[in-house]
């Protein structure tokens, strides 16, 4: 979901055999029915707002990961965009970005978006503010974006199995990583600039300790 103002719909995509299937759900205004039903009940009553699923082809066959970019409506391009991490016929890992058009959900490749050279073991993408991405490989992290040179750093050699933001309230500064050896690490992103010019200036990684090998992570904040 973009930063700041919410989109008038939410989008979810799934890739299966080279297909991308966007489904749109119009988001009604948060309200209480006044009868003790709460927001969940109000949303359920608006099931008629769910549009038919549209099937669209993408050119990438071996898709490794896919993430929607974090863009700000009114500042960045208004159309939602998602990045596809894939392996091409030459066994090279690449990123291609698509925008979802307003007419029948057509997919528009963003030709100006280049991923530069990705490590051969890149397996995960993490969306960053301003439409940038953190590409995670077995031995390194790389911040890639459309208009800036990549920023990378090495990390402990292991395949990352899960990630989760600690502070995803728009700051996106601290990220948890769990790897195949059961090691939990903290990634700290330092930003510079503000507004549309805010971008990652430096990346730090610190080992926190050992955990069971994770397939997913959920940060509970002060909850339990």
């Amino acid at each position: 979901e973009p930063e700041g103002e919410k989109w008038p719909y939410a989008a979810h995509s799934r890739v299966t055999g080279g297909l991308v299937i966007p489904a749109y759900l119009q988001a009604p205004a948060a309200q209480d029915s006044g009868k003790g039903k709460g927001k969940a009940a109000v949303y359920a009553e608006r099931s008629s707002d769910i549009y038919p699923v549209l099937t669209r082809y993408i050119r990438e066959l071996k898709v490794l990961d896919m993430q929607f970019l974090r863009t700000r409506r009114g500042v960045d391009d208004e159309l939602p965009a998602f990045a596809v991490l894939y392996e091409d016929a030459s066994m090279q890992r690449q990123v291609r970005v698509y925008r979802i058009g307003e007419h029948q959900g057509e997919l528009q490749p963003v030709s100006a978006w280049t991923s530069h050279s990705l490590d051969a073991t890149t397996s995960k993408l993490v969306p960053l503010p301003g439409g940038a991405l953190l590409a995670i490989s077995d031995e390194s992290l790389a911040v890639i974006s459309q208009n800036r040179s990549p920023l990378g750093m090495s990390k402990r050699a292991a395949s990352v199995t899960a990630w989760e933001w600690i502070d995803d309230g728009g700051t996106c500064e601290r990220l948890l990583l769990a790897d195949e050896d059961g090691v939990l690490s903290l990634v700290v992103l330092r930003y510079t600039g503000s507004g549309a010019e805010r971008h990652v200036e430096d990346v730090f990684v610190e080992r926190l300790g050992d955990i069971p090998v994770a397939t997913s992570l959920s940060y509970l904040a002060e909850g339990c």
Side-chain angles (χ1 to χ4, degrees), residues 30-67:
Q31 59 179 336
D32 195 310
S33 64
K35 300 179 181 179
K37 296 182 179 180
K39 294 179 182 178
V42 175
Y43 275 58
E45 291 171 358
R46 296 292 299 275
S47 60
S48 60
D49 290 333
I50 299 178
Y51 292 85
V53 173
L54 301 176
T55 301
R56 295 292 180 265
Y57 284 93
I58 59 176
R59 291 175 288 177
E60 297 73 31
L61 296 178
K62 189 173 181 179
V63 175
L64 304 171
D65 196 11
M66 183 171 65
Q67 297 288 338

PDB file of all heavy atoms in Angstrom, residues 30-67:
ATOM      1  N   ALA A  30     -13.818   3.870   6.622  1.00  0.00           N
ATOM      2  CA  ALA A  30     -13.936   3.219   7.925  1.00  0.00           C
ATOM      3  C   ALA A  30     -15.121   3.820   8.682  1.00  0.00           C
ATOM      4  O   ALA A  30     -15.238   5.025   8.829  1.00  0.00           O
ATOM      5  CB  ALA A  30     -12.645   3.417   8.714  1.00  0.00           C
ATOM      6  N   GLN A  31     -16.005   2.968   9.141  1.00  0.00           N
ATOM      7  CA  GLN A  31     -17.163   3.458   9.866  1.00  0.00           C
ATOM      8  C   GLN A  31     -17.719   2.347  10.745  1.00  0.00           C
ATOM      9  O   GLN A  31     -17.416   1.185  10.568  1.00  0.00           O
ATOM     10  CB  GLN A  31     -18.243   3.938   8.879  1.00  0.00           C
ATOM     11  CG  GLN A  31     -18.705   2.826   7.930  1.00  0.00           C
ATOM     12  CD  GLN A  31     -19.788   3.310   6.973  1.00  0.00           C
ATOM     13  OE1 GLN A  31     -20.488   4.261   7.272  1.00  0.00           O
ATOM     14  NE2 GLN A  31     -19.910   2.659   5.837  1.00  0.00           N
ATOM     15  N   ASP A  32     -18.524   2.715  11.686  1.00  0.00           N
ATOM     16  CA  ASP A  32     -19.180   1.763  12.565  1.00  0.00           C
ATOM     17  C   ASP A  32     -20.656   1.791  12.235  1.00  0.00           C
ATOM     18  O   ASP A  32     -21.251   2.844  12.042  1.00  0.00           O
ATOM     19  CB  ASP A  32     -18.960   2.131  14.034  1.00  0.00           C
ATOM     20  CG  ASP A  32     -19.311   0.977  14.964  1.00  0.00           C
ATOM     21  OD1 ASP A  32     -20.418   0.416  14.806  1.00  0.00           O
ATOM     22  OD2 ASP A  32     -18.492   0.660  15.831  1.00  0.00           O
ATOM     23  N   SER A  33     -21.274   0.623  12.134  1.00  0.00           N
ATOM     24  CA  SER A  33     -22.676   0.564  11.753  1.00  0.00           C
ATOM     25  C   SER A  33     -23.599   1.095  12.845  1.00  0.00           C
ATOM     26  O   SER A  33     -24.776   1.335  12.603  1.00  0.00           O
ATOM     27  CB  SER A  33     -23.050  -0.892  11.440  1.00  0.00           C
ATOM     28  OG  SER A  33     -22.923  -1.679  12.603  1.00  0.00           O
ATOM     29  N   GLY A  34     -23.074   1.236  14.070  1.00  0.00           N
ATOM     30  CA  GLY A  34     -23.905   1.726  15.162  1.00  0.00           C
ATOM     31  C   GLY A  34     -24.722   0.635  15.807  1.00  0.00           C
ATOM     32  O   GLY A  34     -25.503   0.870  16.714  1.00  0.00           O
ATOM     33  N   LYS A  35     -24.580  -0.610  15.353  1.00  0.00           N
ATOM     34  CA  LYS A  35     -25.348  -1.722  15.895  1.00  0.00           C
ATOM     35  C   LYS A  35     -24.438  -2.754  16.543  1.00  0.00           C
ATOM     36  O   LYS A  35     -24.809  -3.921  16.679  1.00  0.00           O
ATOM     37  CB  LYS A  35     -26.168  -2.378  14.780  1.00  0.00           C
ATOM     38  CG  LYS A  35     -27.160  -1.416  14.118  1.00  0.00           C
ATOM     39  CD  LYS A  35     -27.921  -2.111  13.001  1.00  0.00           C
ATOM     40  CE  LYS A  35     -28.893  -1.157  12.315  1.00  0.00           C
ATOM     41  NZ  LYS A  35     -29.628  -1.829  11.218  1.00  0.00           N
ATOM     42  N   GLY A  36     -23.248  -2.309  16.899  1.00  0.00           N
ATOM     43  CA  GLY A  36     -22.337  -3.220  17.582  1.00  0.00           C
ATOM     44  C   GLY A  36     -21.621  -4.175  16.655  1.00  0.00           C
ATOM     45  O   GLY A  36     -20.964  -5.099  17.080  1.00  0.00           O
ATOM     46  N   LYS A  37     -21.760  -3.977  15.346  1.00  0.00           N
ATOM     47  CA  LYS A  37     -21.128  -4.902  14.413  1.00  0.00           C
ATOM     48  C   LYS A  37     -19.654  -4.576  14.199  1.00  0.00           C
ATOM     49  O   LYS A  37     -18.862  -5.450  13.906  1.00  0.00           O
ATOM     50  CB  LYS A  37     -21.862  -4.854  13.069  1.00  0.00           C
ATOM     51  CG  LYS A  37     -23.299  -5.329  13.147  1.00  0.00           C
ATOM     52  CD  LYS A  37     -23.941  -5.291  11.765  1.00  0.00           C
ATOM     53  CE  LYS A  37     -25.381  -5.780  11.801  1.00  0.00           C
ATOM     54  NZ  LYS A  37     -26.009  -5.741  10.476  1.00  0.00           N
ATOM     55  N   GLY A  38     -19.282  -3.293  14.306  1.00  0.00           N
ATOM     56  CA  GLY A  38     -17.887  -2.918  14.122  1.00  0.00           C
ATOM     57  C   GLY A  38     -17.509  -2.841  12.656  1.00  0.00           C
ATOM     58  O   GLY A  38     -18.283  -3.138  11.762  1.00  0.00           O
ATOM     59  N   LYS A  39     -16.230  -2.449  12.425  1.00  0.00           N
ATOM     60  CA  LYS A  39     -15.757  -2.237  11.062  1.00  0.00           C
ATOM     61  C   LYS A  39     -15.752  -3.515  10.242  1.00  0.00           C
ATOM     62  O   LYS A  39     -16.062  -3.508   9.070  1.00  0.00           O
ATOM     63  CB  LYS A  39     -14.348  -1.644  11.103  1.00  0.00           C
ATOM     64  CG  LYS A  39     -14.292  -0.239  11.698  1.00  0.00           C
ATOM     65  CD  LYS A  39     -12.869   0.256  11.710  1.00  0.00           C
ATOM     66  CE  LYS A  39     -12.788   1.642  12.349  1.00  0.00           C
ATOM     67  NZ  LYS A  39     -11.389   2.114  12.418  1.00  0.00           N
ATOM     68  N   ALA A  40     -15.338  -4.633  10.865  1.00  0.00           N
ATOM     69  CA  ALA A  40     -15.243  -5.879  10.112  1.00  0.00           C
ATOM     70  C   ALA A  40     -16.578  -6.250   9.493  1.00  0.00           C
ATOM     71  O   ALA A  40     -16.653  -6.678   8.345  1.00  0.00           O
ATOM     72  CB  ALA A  40     -14.746  -7.000  11.017  1.00  0.00           C
ATOM     73  N   ALA A  41     -17.649  -6.069  10.250  1.00  0.00           N
ATOM     74  CA  ALA A  41     -18.971  -6.410   9.737  1.00  0.00           C
ATOM     75  C   ALA A  41     -19.373  -5.481   8.612  1.00  0.00           C
ATOM     76  O   ALA A  41     -19.968  -5.901   7.625  1.00  0.00           O
ATOM     77  CB  ALA A  41     -19.998  -6.343  10.874  1.00  0.00           C
ATOM     78  N   VAL A  42     -19.035  -4.193   8.752  1.00  0.00           N
ATOM     79  CA  VAL A  42     -19.373  -3.239   7.703  1.00  0.00           C
ATOM     80  C   VAL A  42     -18.650  -3.587   6.417  1.00  0.00           C
ATOM     81  O   VAL A  42     -19.225  -3.563   5.335  1.00  0.00           O
ATOM     82  CB  VAL A  42     -18.999  -1.808   8.156  1.00  0.00           C
ATOM     83  CG1 VAL A  42     -19.230  -0.823   7.019  1.00  0.00           C
ATOM     84  CG2 VAL A  42     -19.846  -1.409   9.361  1.00  0.00           C
ATOM     85  N   TYR A  43     -17.358  -3.957   6.526  1.00  0.00           N
ATOM     86  CA  TYR A  43     -16.609  -4.336   5.344  1.00  0.00           C
ATOM     87  C   TYR A  43     -17.206  -5.591   4.702  1.00  0.00           C
ATOM     88  O   TYR A  43     -17.289  -5.693   3.500  1.00  0.00           O
ATOM     89  CB  TYR A  43     -15.143  -4.589   5.712  1.00  0.00           C
ATOM     90  CG  TYR A  43     -14.301  -3.339   5.727  1.00  0.00           C
ATOM     91  CD1 TYR A  43     -14.650  -2.269   6.551  1.00  0.00           C
ATOM     92  CD2 TYR A  43     -13.181  -3.217   4.923  1.00  0.00           C
ATOM     93  CE1 TYR A  43     -13.896  -1.114   6.584  1.00  0.00           C
ATOM     94  CE2 TYR A  43     -12.406  -2.057   4.954  1.00  0.00           C
ATOM     95  CZ  TYR A  43     -12.773  -1.016   5.790  1.00  0.00           C
ATOM     96  OH  TYR A  43     -12.016   0.118   5.810  1.00  0.00           O
ATOM     97  N   ALA A  44     -17.617  -6.539   5.530  1.00  0.00           N
ATOM     98  CA  ALA A  44     -18.182  -7.772   4.996  1.00  0.00           C
ATOM     99  C   ALA A  44     -19.474  -7.501   4.243  1.00  0.00           C
ATOM    100  O   ALA A  44     -19.770  -8.141   3.237  1.00  0.00           O
ATOM    101  CB  ALA A  44     -18.429  -8.763   6.131  1.00  0.00           C
ATOM    102  N   GLU A  45     -20.261  -6.531   4.712  1.00  0.00           N
ATOM    103  CA  GLU A  45     -21.516  -6.226   4.047  1.00  0.00           C
ATOM    104  C   GLU A  45     -21.294  -5.576   2.689  1.00  0.00           C
ATOM    105  O   GLU A  45     -22.205  -5.515   1.881  1.00  0.00           O
ATOM    106  CB  GLU A  45     -22.339  -5.295   4.944  1.00  0.00           C
ATOM    107  CG  GLU A  45     -22.852  -5.977   6.208  1.00  0.00           C
ATOM    108  CD  GLU A  45     -23.477  -4.984   7.173  1.00  0.00           C
ATOM    109  OE1 GLU A  45     -23.459  -3.772   6.855  1.00  0.00           O
ATOM    110  OE2 GLU A  45     -23.966  -5.406   8.228  1.00  0.00           O
ATOM    111  N   ARG A  46     -20.059  -5.068   2.460  1.00  0.00           N
ATOM    112  CA  ARG A  46     -19.767  -4.423   1.199  1.00  0.00           C
ATOM    113  C   ARG A  46     -19.105  -5.379   0.227  1.00  0.00           C
ATOM    114  O   ARG A  46     -18.286  -4.996  -0.597  1.00  0.00           O
ATOM    115  CB  ARG A  46     -18.851  -3.222   1.444  1.00  0.00           C
ATOM    116  CG  ARG A  46     -19.472  -2.118   2.288  1.00  0.00           C
ATOM    117  CD  ARG A  46     -20.595  -1.428   1.549  1.00  0.00           C
ATOM    118  NE  ARG A  46     -20.117  -0.797   0.336  1.00  0.00           N
ATOM    119  CZ  ARG A  46     -19.586   0.425   0.289  1.00  0.00           C
ATOM    120  NH1 ARG A  46     -19.478   1.132   1.404  1.00  0.00           N
ATOM    121  NH2 ARG A  46     -19.154   0.936  -0.843  1.00  0.00           N
ATOM    122  N   SER A  47     -19.417  -6.659   0.314  1.00  0.00           N
ATOM    123  CA  SER A  47     -18.777  -7.644  -0.547  1.00  0.00           C
ATOM    124  C   SER A  47     -19.065  -7.391  -2.018  1.00  0.00           C
ATOM    125  O   SER A  47     -18.346  -7.859  -2.892  1.00  0.00           O
ATOM    126  CB  SER A  47     -19.233  -9.058  -0.164  1.00  0.00           C
ATOM    127  OG  SER A  47     -20.640  -9.173  -0.298  1.00  0.00           O
ATOM    128  N   SER A  48     -20.120  -6.642  -2.319  1.00  0.00           N
ATOM    129  CA  SER A  48     -20.440  -6.350  -3.705  1.00  0.00           C
ATOM    130  C   SER A  48     -19.397  -5.440  -4.341  1.00  0.00           C
ATOM    131  O   SER A  48     -19.382  -5.265  -5.567  1.00  0.00           O
ATOM    132  CB  SER A  48     -21.820  -5.684  -3.796  1.00  0.00           C
ATOM    133  OG  SER A  48     -21.837  -4.473  -3.059  1.00  0.00           O
ATOM    134  N   ASP A  49     -18.497  -4.849  -3.518  1.00  0.00           N
ATOM    135  CA  ASP A  49     -17.469  -3.968  -4.058  1.00  0.00           C
ATOM    136  C   ASP A  49     -16.279  -4.739  -4.616  1.00  0.00           C
ATOM    137  O   ASP A  49     -15.354  -4.138  -5.150  1.00  0.00           O
ATOM    138  CB  ASP A  49     -16.963  -3.020  -2.968  1.00  0.00           C
ATOM    139  CG  ASP A  49     -18.020  -1.991  -2.597  1.00  0.00           C
ATOM    140  OD1 ASP A  49     -18.849  -1.684  -3.464  1.00  0.00           O
ATOM    141  OD2 ASP A  49     -18.001  -1.515  -1.456  1.00  0.00           O
ATOM    142  N   ILE A  50     -16.255  -6.055  -4.477  1.00  0.00           N
ATOM    143  CA  ILE A  50     -15.146  -6.852  -4.996  1.00  0.00           C
ATOM    144  C   ILE A  50     -15.325  -7.014  -6.499  1.00  0.00           C
ATOM    145  O   ILE A  50     -16.349  -7.498  -6.963  1.00  0.00           O
ATOM    146  CB  ILE A  50     -15.075  -8.223  -4.313  1.00  0.00           C
ATOM    147  CG1 ILE A  50     -14.847  -8.041  -2.807  1.00  0.00           C
ATOM    148  CG2 ILE A  50     -13.954  -9.063  -4.921  1.00  0.00           C
ATOM    149  CD1 ILE A  50     -14.814  -9.336  -2.041  1.00  0.00           C
ATOM    150  N   TYR A  51     -14.309  -6.616  -7.259  1.00  0.00           N
ATOM    151  CA  TYR A  51     -14.369  -6.703  -8.706  1.00  0.00           C
ATOM    152  C   TYR A  51     -13.952  -8.098  -9.167  1.00  0.00           C
ATOM    153  O   TYR A  51     -13.249  -8.808  -8.465  1.00  0.00           O
ATOM    154  CB  TYR A  51     -13.446  -5.660  -9.328  1.00  0.00           C
ATOM    155  CG  TYR A  51     -13.917  -4.246  -9.115  1.00  0.00           C
ATOM    156  CD1 TYR A  51     -13.606  -3.560  -7.949  1.00  0.00           C
ATOM    157  CD2 TYR A  51     -14.679  -3.598 -10.078  1.00  0.00           C
ATOM    158  CE1 TYR A  51     -14.033  -2.266  -7.746  1.00  0.00           C
ATOM    159  CE2 TYR A  51     -15.115  -2.305  -9.882  1.00  0.00           C
ATOM    160  CZ  TYR A  51     -14.788  -1.640  -8.719  1.00  0.00           C
ATOM    161  OH  TYR A  51     -15.223  -0.363  -8.514  1.00  0.00           O
ATOM    162  N   PRO A  52     -14.349  -8.504 -10.386  1.00  0.00           N
ATOM    163  CA  PRO A  52     -13.911  -9.802 -10.908  1.00  0.00           C
ATOM    164  C   PRO A  52     -12.396  -9.846 -11.026  1.00  0.00           C
ATOM    165  O   PRO A  52     -11.750  -8.837 -11.294  1.00  0.00           O
ATOM    166  CB  PRO A  52     -14.574  -9.849 -12.303  1.00  0.00           C
ATOM    167  CG  PRO A  52     -15.717  -8.890 -12.218  1.00  0.00           C
ATOM    168  CD  PRO A  52     -15.260  -7.802 -11.288  1.00  0.00           C
ATOM    169  N   VAL A  53     -11.831 -11.019 -10.808  1.00  0.00           N
ATOM    170  CA  VAL A  53     -10.386 -11.194 -10.932  1.00  0.00           C
ATOM    171  C   VAL A  53      -9.995 -11.098 -12.397  1.00  0.00           C
ATOM    172  O   VAL A  53     -10.638 -11.687 -13.265  1.00  0.00           O
ATOM    173  CB  VAL A  53      -9.959 -12.552 -10.352  1.00  0.00           C
ATOM    174  CG1 VAL A  53      -8.485 -12.813 -10.625  1.00  0.00           C
ATOM    175  CG2 VAL A  53     -10.243 -12.588  -8.855  1.00  0.00           C
ATOM    176  N   LEU A  54      -8.936 -10.344 -12.682  1.00  0.00           N
ATOM    177  CA  LEU A  54      -8.437 -10.191 -14.041  1.00  0.00           C
ATOM    178  C   LEU A  54      -7.125 -10.950 -14.175  1.00  0.00           C
ATOM    179  O   LEU A  54      -6.249 -10.833 -13.327  1.00  0.00           O
ATOM    180  CB  LEU A  54      -8.209  -8.712 -14.360  1.00  0.00           C
ATOM    181  CG  LEU A  54      -9.425  -7.802 -14.238  1.00  0.00           C
ATOM    182  CD1 LEU A  54      -9.013  -6.356 -14.490  1.00  0.00           C
ATOM    183  CD2 LEU A  54     -10.514  -8.223 -15.200  1.00  0.00           C
ATOM    184  N   THR A  55      -6.995 -11.714 -15.231  1.00  0.00           N
ATOM    185  CA  THR A  55      -5.775 -12.483 -15.473  1.00  0.00           C
ATOM    186  C   THR A  55      -4.944 -11.779 -16.539  1.00  0.00           C
ATOM    187  O   THR A  55      -5.449 -11.489 -17.617  1.00  0.00           O
ATOM    188  CB  THR A  55      -6.095 -13.909 -15.935  1.00  0.00           C
ATOM    189  OG1 THR A  55      -6.883 -14.555 -14.938  1.00  0.00           O
ATOM    190  CG2 THR A  55      -4.819 -14.697 -16.175  1.00  0.00           C
ATOM    191  N   ARG A  56      -3.696 -11.519 -16.220  1.00  0.00           N
ATOM    192  CA  ARG A  56      -2.796 -10.853 -17.152  1.00  0.00           C
ATOM    193  C   ARG A  56      -1.483 -11.620 -17.221  1.00  0.00           C
ATOM    194  O   ARG A  56      -0.972 -12.083 -16.212  1.00  0.00           O
ATOM    195  CB  ARG A  56      -2.520  -9.406 -16.715  1.00  0.00           C
ATOM    196  CG  ARG A  56      -3.761  -8.515 -16.741  1.00  0.00           C
ATOM    197  CD  ARG A  56      -4.242  -8.265 -18.159  1.00  0.00           C
ATOM    198  NE  ARG A  56      -5.423  -7.411 -18.178  1.00  0.00           N
ATOM    199  CZ  ARG A  56      -6.660  -7.872 -18.219  1.00  0.00           C
ATOM    200  NH1 ARG A  56      -6.883  -9.180 -18.220  1.00  0.00           N
ATOM    201  NH2 ARG A  56      -7.675  -7.032 -18.257  1.00  0.00           N
ATOM    202  N   TYR A  57      -0.930 -11.755 -18.438  1.00  0.00           N
ATOM    203  CA  TYR A  57       0.338 -12.447 -18.618  1.00  0.00           C
ATOM    204  C   TYR A  57       1.508 -11.509 -18.343  1.00  0.00           C
ATOM    205  O   TYR A  57       1.445 -10.318 -18.635  1.00  0.00           O
ATOM    206  CB  TYR A  57       0.468 -12.967 -20.046  1.00  0.00           C
ATOM    207  CG  TYR A  57      -0.349 -14.198 -20.329  1.00  0.00           C
ATOM    208  CD1 TYR A  57      -1.637 -14.092 -20.853  1.00  0.00           C
ATOM    209  CD2 TYR A  57       0.158 -15.469 -20.077  1.00  0.00           C
ATOM    210  CE1 TYR A  57      -2.398 -15.211 -21.104  1.00  0.00           C
ATOM    211  CE2 TYR A  57      -0.593 -16.603 -20.331  1.00  0.00           C
ATOM    212  CZ  TYR A  57      -1.872 -16.467 -20.852  1.00  0.00           C
ATOM    213  OH  TYR A  57      -2.627 -17.577 -21.102  1.00  0.00           O
ATOM    214  N   ILE A  58       2.573 -12.072 -17.786  1.00  0.00           N
ATOM    215  CA  ILE A  58       3.849 -11.372 -17.727  1.00  0.00           C
ATOM    216  C   ILE A  58       4.871 -12.247 -18.444  1.00  0.00           C
ATOM    217  O   ILE A  58       4.664 -13.456 -18.619  1.00  0.00           O
ATOM    218  CB  ILE A  58       4.297 -11.085 -16.281  1.00  0.00           C
ATOM    219  CG1 ILE A  58       4.432 -12.381 -15.479  1.00  0.00           C
ATOM    220  CG2 ILE A  58       3.339 -10.124 -15.599  1.00  0.00           C
ATOM    221  CD1 ILE A  58       4.977 -12.164 -14.074  1.00  0.00           C
ATOM    222  N   ARG A  59       5.958 -11.646 -18.874  1.00  0.00           N
ATOM    223  CA  ARG A  59       6.938 -12.368 -19.681  1.00  0.00           C
ATOM    224  C   ARG A  59       7.845 -13.269 -18.856  1.00  0.00           C
ATOM    225  O   ARG A  59       8.447 -14.198 -19.378  1.00  0.00           O
ATOM    226  CB  ARG A  59       7.796 -11.360 -20.456  1.00  0.00           C
ATOM    227  CG  ARG A  59       7.030 -10.635 -21.552  1.00  0.00           C
ATOM    228  CD  ARG A  59       7.885  -9.572 -22.206  1.00  0.00           C
ATOM    229  NE  ARG A  59       8.084  -8.431 -21.335  1.00  0.00           N
ATOM    230  CZ  ARG A  59       8.840  -7.383 -21.650  1.00  0.00           C
ATOM    231  NH1 ARG A  59       9.483  -7.364 -22.796  1.00  0.00           N
ATOM    232  NH2 ARG A  59       8.957  -6.375 -20.810  1.00  0.00           N
ATOM    233  N   GLU A  60       7.942 -12.990 -17.555  1.00  0.00           N
ATOM    234  CA  GLU A  60       8.871 -13.726 -16.707  1.00  0.00           C
ATOM    235  C   GLU A  60       8.289 -15.089 -16.336  1.00  0.00           C
ATOM    236  O   GLU A  60       7.146 -15.181 -15.892  1.00  0.00           O
ATOM    237  CB  GLU A  60       9.169 -12.937 -15.433  1.00  0.00           C
ATOM    238  CG  GLU A  60       9.853 -11.613 -15.689  1.00  0.00           C
ATOM    239  CD  GLU A  60       8.940 -10.566 -16.290  1.00  0.00           C
ATOM    240  OE1 GLU A  60       7.728 -10.577 -16.007  1.00  0.00           O
ATOM    241  OE2 GLU A  60       9.432  -9.737 -17.079  1.00  0.00           O
ATOM    242  N   LEU A  61       9.078 -16.146 -16.512  1.00  0.00           N
ATOM    243  CA  LEU A  61       8.598 -17.487 -16.206  1.00  0.00           C
ATOM    244  C   LEU A  61       9.076 -17.973 -14.841  1.00  0.00           C
ATOM    245  O   LEU A  61       8.290 -18.475 -14.047  1.00  0.00           O
ATOM    246  CB  LEU A  61       9.042 -18.467 -17.292  1.00  0.00           C
ATOM    247  CG  LEU A  61       8.456 -18.208 -18.693  1.00  0.00           C
ATOM    248  CD1 LEU A  61       9.009 -19.224 -19.676  1.00  0.00           C
ATOM    249  CD2 LEU A  61       6.930 -18.275 -18.650  1.00  0.00           C
ATOM    250  N   LYS A  62      10.361 -17.816 -14.561  1.00  0.00           N
ATOM    251  CA  LYS A  62      10.891 -18.275 -13.280  1.00  0.00           C
ATOM    252  C   LYS A  62      10.889 -17.097 -12.301  1.00  0.00           C
ATOM    253  O   LYS A  62      11.887 -16.395 -12.126  1.00  0.00           O
ATOM    254  CB  LYS A  62      12.300 -18.851 -13.430  1.00  0.00           C
ATOM    255  CG  LYS A  62      12.795 -19.537 -12.154  1.00  0.00           C
ATOM    256  CD  LYS A  62      14.114 -20.250 -12.364  1.00  0.00           C
ATOM    257  CE  LYS A  62      14.551 -20.944 -11.074  1.00  0.00           C
ATOM    258  NZ  LYS A  62      15.827 -21.669 -11.243  1.00  0.00           N
ATOM    259  N   VAL A  63       9.752 -16.874 -11.658  1.00  0.00           N
ATOM    260  CA  VAL A  63       9.592 -15.752 -10.731  1.00  0.00           C
ATOM    261  C   VAL A  63      10.031 -16.186  -9.335  1.00  0.00           C
ATOM    262  O   VAL A  63       9.578 -17.204  -8.821  1.00  0.00           O
ATOM    263  CB  VAL A  63       8.130 -15.269 -10.714  1.00  0.00           C
ATOM    264  CG1 VAL A  63       7.942 -14.177  -9.666  1.00  0.00           C
ATOM    265  CG2 VAL A  63       7.734 -14.761 -12.090  1.00  0.00           C
ATOM    266  N   LEU A  64      10.897 -15.395  -8.713  1.00  0.00           N
ATOM    267  CA  LEU A  64      11.425 -15.705  -7.385  1.00  0.00           C
ATOM    268  C   LEU A  64      10.727 -14.913  -6.287  1.00  0.00           C
ATOM    269  O   LEU A  64      10.570 -15.387  -5.169  1.00  0.00           O
ATOM    270  CB  LEU A  64      12.929 -15.430  -7.349  1.00  0.00           C
ATOM    271  CG  LEU A  64      13.753 -16.171  -8.419  1.00  0.00           C
ATOM    272  CD1 LEU A  64      15.178 -15.664  -8.418  1.00  0.00           C
ATOM    273  CD2 LEU A  64      13.711 -17.665  -8.179  1.00  0.00           C
ATOM    274  N   ASP A  65      10.332 -13.691  -6.591  1.00  0.00           N
ATOM    275  CA  ASP A  65       9.652 -12.856  -5.604  1.00  0.00           C
ATOM    276  C   ASP A  65       8.947 -11.725  -6.333  1.00  0.00           C
ATOM    277  O   ASP A  65       9.287 -11.393  -7.475  1.00  0.00           O
ATOM    278  CB  ASP A  65      10.668 -12.286  -4.591  1.00  0.00           C
ATOM    279  CG  ASP A  65       9.987 -11.730  -3.335  1.00  0.00           C
ATOM    280  OD1 ASP A  65       8.775 -11.976  -3.158  1.00  0.00           O
ATOM    281  OD2 ASP A  65      10.662 -11.059  -2.539  1.00  0.00           O
ATOM    282  N   MET A  66       7.962 -11.132  -5.664  1.00  0.00           N
ATOM    283  CA  MET A  66       7.236 -10.007  -6.244  1.00  0.00           C
ATOM    284  C   MET A  66       6.730  -9.125  -5.118  1.00  0.00           C
ATOM    285  O   MET A  66       6.173  -9.626  -4.136  1.00  0.00           O
ATOM    286  CB  MET A  66       6.077 -10.489  -7.108  1.00  0.00           C
ATOM    287  CG  MET A  66       5.310  -9.364  -7.794  1.00  0.00           C
ATOM    288  SD  MET A  66       4.116  -9.979  -8.998  1.00  0.00           S
ATOM    289  CE  MET A  66       2.996 -10.849  -7.907  1.00  0.00           C
ATOM    290  N   GLN A  67       6.932  -7.821  -5.236  1.00  0.00           N
ATOM    291  CA  GLN A  67       6.525  -6.887  -4.200  1.00  0.00           C
ATOM    292  C   GLN A  67       5.985  -5.610  -4.838  1.00  0.00           C
ATOM    293  O   GLN A  67       6.497  -5.138  -5.852  1.00  0.00           O
ATOM    294  CB  GLN A  67       7.714  -6.514  -3.302  1.00  0.00           C
ATOM    295  CG  GLN A  67       8.322  -7.656  -2.527  1.00  0.00           C
ATOM    296  CD  GLN A  67       7.440  -8.125  -1.390  1.00  0.00           C
ATOM    297  OE1 GLN A  67       6.580  -7.404  -0.899  1.00  0.00           O
ATOM    298  NE2 GLN A  67       7.650  -9.369  -0.958  1.00  0.00           N
TER     299      GLN A  67
END
